[in-house]
Amino acid sequence: MKKTDQFSNYFKPGAFAIALCLGLGHLKAQTIIPIETANNALVLQAGSNKDVNTIFFGKKLANKQEYAQVAGQYKQTSDYTGQLNSIYTPSGSRNLVEPAITVTHADGNNSLDLKYVDHTVTAIDDNVSLLKIRLKDPVYNFEVTMFYKSFYKQDVIEQWTEIKHNEKGEVVLHKYASANLHLKSPHFWLNQYHGDWAKEMQPEQSEITHGIKTLDSKLGTRANLFQPSVFMISMDKPAEENEGNVLYGALEWSGNFKIDLELDYQDNLRIIAGMNNYASPYSLKPGEVFATPAFLYTFSDQGKGAASRKLQNWARNYKILNGKGDRLTLLNNWEATYFDFNEQKLAELLKDTKKLGVDFFLLDDGWFGNKYPRNSDNAALGDWQENKQKLPNGISSLIKEADQAGTRFGIWIEPEMVSPKSELYEKHPDWVVKQPKRPEYYFRQQLELDLSNPKVQDFVFGVIDGLMTKNPKLAYIKWDCNAVIYNAYSAHLKNQGHFYIDYVRGLYSVLQRIRAKYPAVPMMLCSGGGGRVDYGALQYFTEFWPSDNTDPLERIFMQWEYSYFYPAISSSNHVTDWGKQSIKFRTDVAMMGKLGFDIVVSKLPHEELQFCQEAIKNYNEVKPIIWHGDQYRLANPRSGSVASMLYVNEQKTAGVIFNYLVNYRYEEGSKYPIKLNGLDAAKKYQIKEINLFPGTKSSIDSTKTYTGDFLMKVGFNPNLNNNRTSVVLKFEEVK
Ligand code: DGJ
């Protein structure tokens, strides 16, 4: 690592962040701090009064000296405070708008001001640098350090803060954002998401009006159930797939979050993003450091598609566990059996794993609990011992069985939870999240364990550690989380204001311990569907479960929206019996990410089984492109009758295109060619249809060649119609 101070410039090909000092002496007139990535710049300025403000955000300028002249070009109304564009708006002094931080000092005073102290830039490697800016209150011994980790090639910035003080007693933090951005544009458009169980990632777009629009969650766990923290802000006009200025934002936090989008009296957009301060005043001891989670953002002046590819690339390279590695395909028993299974039934299903051609068998919910067996969702969470009636020989015998069948074995677990009917609850009622004086209230008939309690953290770690130690061949873990937090209360914590935050910190501490001991075991982040998909958690997981809704028509829309923020390698898509579509349609849709099956293989008619087996072979050939290639959205199912998604490898020599008819009205079909994207205009390609159902013939002539130029300007017609509602095309360069 290399450190520079505020008096030097730091340049490196591929990565640079510079400190440009325009003044002389200790108190410079202006210190300009640009954070530059391949295409963009976020430029901050410490003025002569030591306020640190944002003076530019957007596509970077060729000449860095000109950032100082940006502000002069705006003739907006007066900023009465001088800190409307503060990089971290303090409250209780001059501020008139939504603050980033609010505190009560040890002496009971509520005012805060934050002044520039110094900054440093550290080059972590050729692509990543870390800027730290120290801010201090001139009156109180209170300090905030702002962190900006920039990823040059990906145009991504992760931003967080550390707050500490040395006052004579505890300081209460009432608000503690991770980031406070300031954008200028005549209009702002918001793309946000809402949902519920089986209805995750429903998009909405609206123009932002004056006042504050808040995206938030107060659910504690599975915080995304009604609203995830991911969003897009288009500047000027709504960004399209391939044009427009758009910022993507997301909070790396698996608990309550709050993102305030304030269109202020000057018409600028202030984005204040962080953990939700709802019911969470946090007391900080002298010398203690309060670190916020990272808020992550990227910006593109070439539309949503480019922004999504930057984010996907960043996630694969820097965030998702084993983002550049391999994934395992699977056969899951959940929808095949629900809770109704035994060793024999599982042994039969297990054999089908190999027959189908996937990599392992996943045993879902229902395998545990003896005093209170897990035969429905009303008992046994917490009692993680094999149910002796269903599995008399335990998991280890199933693993042996899998071994003999030439496959592998993975297991479902929901370790944060406890059933009221469980031995764990009976033994440790004080480990359960519940109000001591109020009736219990259940979500899916269950409660949470209090992860703010280190003893509970040990227990949860011990559950996973125990399973792995006893069964070192366990190939996979599906980590579920089906309940939200009602009656938030910890018997362990003295200060209940800490509960929501300490719960998530406790969860992360368990996950860190698991990853320290088991760095590679693949884990699925599941939460009663997609109730907990965020980059705070995904650093410990290889993939997520987008939704329990696996109806492929629904999935086309849902996976489309997830793909703006998450790479295909992280999206677990299973073929199930949801929906009315053919097995081909269902399999094609599930292939657009990490493929799995949740069906009774032995009940498949011969041709359907044959189709699945062939499709898995095809998938094994194209999966490196789907997982590691670039993704281009070609036809949006929300704007027409056709959906089309393309994946191409880095060399632009091979790719795959998934095409679907999403409207089955009379004579609907792909009337026009679909323009491809991401190809090399000079290369020649051949296009072949794959995943044909046995006995059907393709109407695509695979002997023809087309230039990338033709395919991107004129396009290609997959011949979708009511008899061909799903068409998968593979293309390859021909020399
Ligand atoms: C919710 C998950 O989303 C499902 O896939 C399944 O694992 C059930 N929980 C099991 O209870």
Side-chain angles (χ1 to χ4, degrees):
M1 281 207 206
K2 191 167 176 181
K3 230 178 186 183
T4 59
D5 66 15
Q6 69 269 37
F7 299 104
S8 62
N9 291 350
Y10 182 75
F11 279 99
K12 221 174 178 202
F16 58 93
I18 55 172
L20 224 175
C21 307
L22 302 181
L24 291 172
H26 183 64
L27 180 59
K28 295 170 290 297
Q30 282 180 342
T31 301
I32 294 193
I33 313 167
I35 304 159
E36 293 199 317
T37 55
N39 297 289
N40 306 328
L42 166 63
V43 186
L44 317 176
Q45 174 182 282
S48 50
N49 64 353
K50 296 195 190 177
D51 282 351
V52 188
N53 294 330
T54 303
I55 59 165
F56 182 83
F57 180 87
K59 200 170 180 189
K60 73 182 178 191
L61 302 182
N63 177 1
K64 286 164 198 63
Q65 309 292 333
E66 289 188 324
Y67 289 127
Q69 295 174 38
V70 171
Q73 295 306 312
Y74 287 85
K75 308 292 176 200
Q76 293 169 284
T77 56
S78 158
D79 164 0
Y80 301 97
T81 66
Q83 60 170 189
L84 199 53
N85 51 342
S86 166
I87 62 162
Y88 204 63
T89 313
S91 57
S93 46
R94 281 167 293 150
N95 175 48
L96 297 174
V97 288
E98 185 61 28
I101 180 165
T102 305
V103 307
T104 299
H105 295 285
D107 66 0
N109 188 289
N110 287 331
S111 72
L112 184 70
D113 201 0
L114 292 169
K115 298 289 188 185
Y116 174 81
V117 178
D118 57 19
H119 72 275
T120 57
V121 181
T122 306
I124 293 172
D125 61 30
D126 273 358
N127 192 48
V128 188
S129 32
L130 183 65
L131 163 70
K132 281 188 209 178
I133 307 176
R134 265 196 321 139
L135 307 171
K136 231 177 156 187
D137 190 310
V139 175
Y140 285 90
N141 199 341
F142 187 97
E143 192 177 312
V144 173
T145 306
M146 311 281 301
F147 292 82
Y148 299 82
K149 192 172 190 183
S150 54
F151 300 80
Y152 190 81
K153 277 190 221 139
Q154 291 78 14
D155 283 323
V156 164
I157 297 179
E158 280 182 302
Q159 202 188 315
W160 69 96
T161 66
E162 281 182 7
I163 302 168
K164 68 176 181 197
H165 69 90
N166 258 310
E167 299 186 19
K168 293 190 181 85
E170 294 193 349
V171 169
V172 181
L173 307 179
H174 301 285
K175 189 159 189 202
Y176 25 74
S178 298
N180 181 173
L181 301 186
H182 186 267
L183 312 179
K184 282 187 185 291
S185 169
H187 301 275
F188 295 97
W189 291 80
L190 168 68
N191 287 76
Q192 63 179 103
Y193 295 89
H194 67 99
D196 199 341
W197 178 77
K199 284 193 248 160
E200 291 85 346
M201 288 302 271
Q202 307 293 320
E204 269 175 330
Q205 179 177 282
S206 56
E207 183 164 4
I208 300 183
T209 55
H210 288 84
I212 300 180
K213 165 87 187 181
T214 299
L215 309 177
D216 83 335
S217 170
K218 302 181 185 79
L219 308 184
T221 49
R222 59 177 316 186
N224 295 350
L225 180 63
F226 303 143
Q227 181 156 71
S229 75
V230 293
F231 65 96
M232 302 174 193
I233 300 288
S234 298
M235 282 163 239
D236 206 10
K237 50 183 192 242
E240 302 290 338
E241 191 62 29
N242 297 312
E243 60 180 64
N245 295 310
V246 63
L247 171 137
Y248 281 27
L251 191 72
E252 297 180 32
W253 184 245
S254 310
N256 295 346
F257 61 84
K258 185 166 195 259
I259 293 158
D260 288 320
L261 305 161
E262 180 173 27
L263 192 60
D264 68 24
Y265 53 86
Q266 272 197 338
D267 309 330
N268 307 310
L269 187 69
R270 306 177 63 252
I271 303 178
I272 298 146
M275 294 183 284
N276 201 337
N277 57 347
Y278 159 74
S280 300
Y282 209 97
S283 296
L284 201 61
K285 293 191 189 79
E288 196 185 339
V289 176
F290 182 91
T292 69
F295 176 65
L296 151 81
Y297 48 99
T298 186
F299 172 79
S300 158
D301 69 330
Q302 277 156 37
K304 297 198 242 177
S308 75
R309 285 183 290 280
K310 290 171 200 261
L311 206 52
Q312 292 184 353
N313 184 302
W314 170 83
R316 284 192 301 259
N317 279 285
Y318 296 103
K319 197 50 74 166
I320 291 172
L321 192 86
N322 196 16
K324 299 190 55 144
D326 252 345
R327 295 293 184 274
L328 301 172
T329 54
L330 64 89
L331 177 63
N332 192 183
N333 76 312
W334 176 239
E335 292 192 20
T337 65
Y338 292 104
F339 298 99
D340 180 21
F341 57 81
N342 58 27
E343 218 165 72
Q344 267 164 335
K345 222 178 189 176
L346 291 181
E348 284 309 309
L349 293 174
L350 249 165
K351 282 183 198 126
D352 291 340
T353 312
K354 184 82 180 167
K355 185 156 130 202
L356 188 63
V358 290
D359 297 324
F360 78 98
F361 178 79
L362 171 63
L363 174 58
D364 215 285
D365 196 354
W367 55 268
F368 49 92
N370 284 296
K371 180 170 175 191
Y372 305 104
R374 180 78 170 166
N375 292 326
S376 88
D377 63 11
N378 68 353
L381 293 172
D383 300 346
W384 300 108
Q385 297 82 34
E386 294 97 326
N387 175 277
K388 293 212 170 78
Q389 256 183 344
K390 288 184 189 172
L391 305 178
N393 299 301
I395 287 164
S396 56
S397 88
L398 290 171
I399 294 180
K400 263 191 218 134
E401 197 94 42
D403 240 0
Q404 276 158 18
T407 186
R408 292 194 263 172
F409 188 87
I411 202 156
W412 175 98
I413 188 158
E414 196 179 2
E416 292 158 79
M417 299 290 156
V418 58
S419 300
K421 258 193 336 191
S422 67
E423 291 182 76
L424 183 69
Y425 188 107
E426 287 169 356
K427 234 165 107 188
H428 295 289
D430 55 322
W431 284 9
V432 178
V433 175
K434 56 179 182 146
Q435 285 289 347
K437 295 183 195 152
R438 295 185 192 280
E440 287 172 12
Y441 194 74
Y442 307 125
F443 196 103
R444 208 200 187 201
Q445 318 207 49
Q446 63 194 58
L447 294 160
E448 282 81 12
L449 290 175
D450 174 11
L451 272 170
S452 73
N453 182 342
K455 283 193 189 136
V456 176
Q457 293 166 23
D458 288 346
F459 168 79
V460 174
F461 171 75
V463 171
I464 306 291
D465 192 32
L467 271 171
M468 292 299 299
T469 317
K470 261 174 71 186
N471 308 290
K473 281 195 164 172
L474 212 51
Y476 186 93
I477 289 171
K478 175 176 175 182
W479 181 303
D480 209 343
C481 167
N482 283 289
V484 300
I485 293 182
Y486 294 123
N487 285 319
Y489 180 87
S490 158
H492 161 75
L493 289 174
K494 285 202 185 74
N495 187 338
Q496 296 302 318
H498 293 198
F499 172 71
Y500 282 120
I501 292 176
D502 286 0
Y503 180 97
V504 182
R505 288 181 175 167
L507 169 68
Y508 289 165
S509 146
V510 171
L511 290 166
Q512 274 152 20
R513 282 166 75 184
I514 292 171
R515 282 312 177 194
K517 193 156 175 194
Y518 307 103
V521 60
M523 286 212 301
M524 185 207 282
L525 175 62
C526 173
S527 184
R532 185 194 261 171
V533 185
D534 66 84
Y535 281 118
L538 276 171
Q539 58 192 306
Y540 308 106
F541 291 84
T542 45
E543 56 223 61
F544 66 88
W545 182 233
S547 176
D548 279 346
N549 189 341
T550 44
D551 176 324
L553 192 58
E554 294 294 326
R555 274 297 182 112
I556 290 173
F557 291 79
M558 221 182 256
Q559 289 170 197
W560 183 279
E561 298 302 329
Y562 271 114
S563 78
Y564 284 118
F565 302 93
Y566 302 99
I569 191 170
S570 62
S571 177
S572 301
N573 306 333
H574 292 185
V575 177
T576 73
D577 288 331
W578 281 58
K580 300 186 192 83
Q581 285 73 16
S582 66
I583 190 88
K584 167 173 164 53
F585 195 111
R586 285 180 274 152
T587 309
D588 291 352
V589 173
M591 273 174 58
M592 295 162 73
K594 209 223 78 170
L595 176 66
F597 287 80
D598 198 340
I599 49 173
V600 184
V601 176
S602 60
K603 285 198 186 144
L604 285 177
H606 174 68
E607 283 184 334
E608 293 199 1
L609 175 62
Q610 201 188 330
F611 168 79
C612 291
Q613 290 166 330
E614 280 306 313
I616 292 164
K617 283 186 198 143
N618 290 334
Y619 181 70
N620 288 339
E621 275 177 29
V622 295
K623 68 189 182 189
I625 303 173
I626 296 171
W627 293 348
H628 304 294
D630 282 323
Q631 190 171 3
Y632 288 85
R633 288 168 214 83
L634 306 180
N636 187 334
R638 283 191 168 81
S639 348
S641 298
V642 168
S644 183
M645 183 79 90
L646 176 149
Y647 303 77
V648 60
N649 67 3
E650 213 187 323
Q651 306 75 29
K652 300 181 186 294
T653 55
V656 54
I657 315 167
F658 294 89
N659 307 279
Y660 307 98
L661 190 66
V662 295
N663 173 358
Y664 305 138
R665 294 186 65 186
Y666 179 66
E667 289 214 325
E668 270 307 325
S670 52
K671 295 181 185 148
Y672 304 96
I674 297 169
K675 287 190 180 115
L676 309 198
N677 205 342
L679 308 188
D680 182 338
K683 284 192 180 13
K684 284 189 189 142
Y685 298 94
Q686 262 178 354
I687 300 178
K688 184 182 159 197
E689 183 170 356
I690 58 168
N691 280 14
L692 286 165
F693 195 76
T696 58
K697 277 207 176 109
S698 175
S699 53
I700 307 284
D701 181 352
S702 60
T703 61
K704 288 202 170 133
T705 56
Y706 307 86
T707 59
D709 179 57
F710 177 91
L711 292 170
M712 291 193 288
K713 285 181 183 158
V714 176
F716 186 83
N717 199 320
N719 295 351
L720 288 167
N721 57 48
N722 272 300
N723 297 317
R724 282 169 57 83
T725 53
S726 172
V727 173
V728 184
L729 302 171
K730 193 173 150 184
F731 61 90
E732 255 161 0
E733 185 191 4
V734 280
K735 298 244 173 167

